[in-house]
Coordinates of all heavy atoms in Angstrom, one line a residue:
D1 N -147.6 -74.6 -6.2 CA -147.0 -73.5 -5.5 C -146.5 -72.5 -6.5 O -146.1 -72.9 -7.6 CB -145.9 -73.9 -4.5 CG -145.6 -72.8 -3.5 OD1 -144.7 -72.0 -3.9 OD2 -146.2 -72.8 -2.4
V2 N -146.4 -71.2 -6.1 CA -145.8 -70.2 -7.0 C -144.3 -70.6 -7.4 O -143.9 -70.4 -8.5 CB -145.8 -68.8 -6.4 CG1 -145.2 -67.8 -7.3 CG2 -147.3 -68.4 -6.1
S3 N -143.6 -71.2 -6.4 CA -142.2 -71.6 -6.7 C -142.1 -72.6 -7.8 O -141.1 -72.6 -8.5 CB -141.6 -72.1 -5.4 OG -142.3 -73.3 -5.0
H4 N -143.2 -73.4 -8.0 CA -143.1 -74.4 -9.1 C -143.1 -73.7 -10.4 O -142.5 -74.3 -11.4 CB -144.3 -75.4 -8.9 CG -144.2 -76.2 -7.7 ND1 -145.2 -77.1 -7.4 CD2 -143.3 -76.2 -6.7 CE1 -144.9 -77.7 -6.2 NE2 -143.7 -77.2 -5.8
L5 N -143.7 -72.6 -10.6 CA -143.6 -71.9 -11.8 C -142.2 -71.4 -12.1 O -141.7 -71.5 -13.3 CB -144.5 -70.6 -11.8 CG -146.0 -70.9 -11.8 CD1 -146.8 -69.6 -11.7 CD2 -146.4 -71.6 -13.1
Y6 N -141.5 -71.0 -11.1 CA -140.1 -70.6 -11.3 C -139.2 -71.8 -11.6 O -138.2 -71.7 -12.4 CB -139.6 -69.9 -10.1 CG -140.2 -68.5 -10.0 CD1 -141.3 -68.2 -9.2 CD2 -139.6 -67.4 -10.6 CE1 -141.9 -67.0 -9.1 CE2 -140.1 -66.1 -10.6 CZ -141.3 -65.9 -9.8 OH -141.8 -64.7 -9.7
M7 N -139.5 -73.0 -11.1 CA -138.8 -74.2 -11.4 C -139.0 -74.5 -12.9 O -138.1 -74.9 -13.6 CB -139.2 -75.4 -10.5 CG -138.4 -76.7 -10.8 SD -136.6 -76.5 -10.5 CE -136.6 -76.3 -8.7
L8 N -140.2 -74.4 -13.3 CA -140.5 -74.6 -14.7 C -139.8 -73.6 -15.6 O -139.2 -74.0 -16.7 CB -142.0 -74.5 -15.0 CG -142.5 -74.6 -16.4 CD1 -142.1 -76.0 -17.0 CD2 -144.0 -74.5 -16.5
K9 N -139.7 -72.4 -15.2 CA -139.0 -71.4 -16.0 C -137.5 -71.8 -16.1 O -136.8 -71.6 -17.1 CB -139.1 -70.0 -15.4 CG -138.3 -68.9 -16.1 CD -138.9 -68.7 -17.5 CE -138.5 -67.3 -18.1 NZ -137.0 -67.1 -18.1
H10 N -137.0 -72.3 -15.0 CA -135.6 -72.8 -15.0 C -135.3 -73.9 -16.1 O -134.3 -73.8 -16.8 CB -135.3 -73.4 -13.6 CG -134.0 -74.2 -13.5 ND1 -132.8 -73.7 -13.5 CD2 -133.9 -75.6 -13.5 CE1 -131.9 -74.7 -13.5 NE2 -132.5 -75.8 -13.4
F11 N -136.3 -74.8 -16.2 CA -136.1 -75.9 -17.2 C -136.4 -75.3 -18.6 O -135.7 -75.8 -19.6 CB -137.0 -77.0 -16.9 CG -136.4 -77.9 -15.8 CD1 -136.8 -77.8 -14.5 CD2 -135.5 -78.9 -16.1 CE1 -136.3 -78.6 -13.5 CE2 -134.9 -79.7 -15.2 CZ -135.3 -79.6 -13.8
V12 N -137.2 -74.3 -18.8 CA -137.4 -73.7 -20.1 C -136.0 -73.0 -20.4 O -135.6 -73.1 -21.6 CB -138.5 -72.7 -20.0 CG1 -138.5 -71.8 -21.3 CG2 -139.8 -73.4 -19.9
D13 N -135.4 -72.3 -19.5 CA -134.2 -71.6 -19.8 C -133.0 -72.6 -20.1 O -132.1 -72.2 -20.8 CB -133.8 -70.7 -18.6 CG -134.7 -69.5 -18.4 OD1 -135.4 -69.2 -19.3 OD2 -134.7 -68.9 -17.3
R14 N -133.1 -73.8 -19.5 CA -132.1 -74.8 -19.8 C -132.3 -75.5 -21.2 O -131.4 -76.2 -21.6 CB -132.2 -75.9 -18.7 CG -131.5 -75.6 -17.4 CD -131.7 -76.6 -16.3 NE -131.4 -78.0 -16.7 CZ -131.4 -79.0 -15.9 NH1 -131.7 -78.8 -14.6 NH2 -131.1 -80.3 -16.3
G15 N -133.4 -75.2 -21.8 CA -133.7 -75.8 -23.1 C -134.3 -77.2 -23.0 O -134.5 -77.9 -24.0
A16 N -134.7 -77.6 -21.7 CA -135.2 -78.9 -21.5 C -136.7 -79.0 -21.8 O -137.3 -80.1 -21.9 CB -134.9 -79.4 -20.1
V17 N -137.3 -77.8 -21.9 CA -138.8 -77.7 -22.1 C -139.0 -76.7 -23.2 O -138.4 -75.6 -23.2 CB -139.5 -77.3 -20.8 CG1 -141.0 -77.1 -21.1 CG2 -139.3 -78.3 -19.7
T18 N -139.9 -77.0 -24.1 CA -140.3 -76.1 -25.2 C -141.8 -75.9 -25.2 O -142.5 -76.8 -24.7 CB -139.8 -76.5 -26.6 OG1 -140.3 -77.8 -26.9 CG2 -138.3 -76.6 -26.6
G19 N -142.3 -74.8 -25.7 CA -143.7 -74.6 -25.8 C -144.4 -75.4 -26.9 O -143.8 -76.0 -27.7
P20 N -145.8 -75.3 -26.9 CA -146.6 -74.6 -25.9 C -146.6 -75.4 -24.6 O -146.7 -76.6 -24.6 CB -148.0 -74.6 -26.6 CG -148.0 -75.9 -27.5 CD -146.5 -76.0 -28.0
L21 N -146.5 -74.6 -23.5 CA -146.6 -75.2 -22.2 C -148.0 -75.4 -21.8 O -148.9 -74.5 -22.0 CB -145.9 -74.3 -21.2 CG -144.4 -73.9 -21.5 CD1 -143.9 -72.9 -20.4 CD2 -143.5 -75.1 -21.6
Y22 N -148.3 -76.5 -21.1 CA -149.7 -76.7 -20.5 C -149.5 -76.8 -19.0 O -148.9 -77.8 -18.5 CB -150.3 -77.9 -21.1 CG -151.8 -78.0 -20.8 CD1 -152.7 -77.1 -21.2 CD2 -152.3 -79.1 -20.0 CE1 -154.1 -77.2 -20.9 CE2 -153.6 -79.2 -19.8 CZ -154.5 -78.3 -20.2 OH -155.9 -78.4 -19.9
I23 N -149.9 -75.8 -18.3 CA -149.6 -75.7 -16.9 C -150.9 -75.9 -16.1 O -151.9 -75.2 -16.3 CB -149.0 -74.3 -16.5 CG1 -147.7 -74.0 -17.3 CG2 -148.7 -74.2 -15.0 CD1 -147.1 -72.6 -17.1
Q24 N -150.8 -76.8 -15.1 CA -152.0 -77.1 -14.2 C -151.7 -76.4 -12.9 O -150.8 -76.8 -12.2 CB -152.1 -78.6 -14.0 CG -153.4 -79.0 -13.3 CD -154.6 -79.0 -14.1 OE1 -155.4 -78.2 -14.0 NE2 -154.7 -80.0 -15.0

């Protein structure tokens, strides 16, 4: 869902996820 992209952005902003991101 589109909302899942915003959840991923939340975790990127938290510093819990770093690139390169691989999004399915």
Side-chain angles (χ1 to χ4, degrees):
D1 193 273
V2 179
S3 62
H4 294 180
L5 290 174
Y6 288 93
M7 183 60 71
L8 177 55
K9 180 62 162 57
H10 165 75
F11 280 98
V12 170
D13 291 344
R14 281 174 54 171
V17 174
T18 58
L21 307 175
Y22 192 62
I23 304 175
Q24 187 81 253

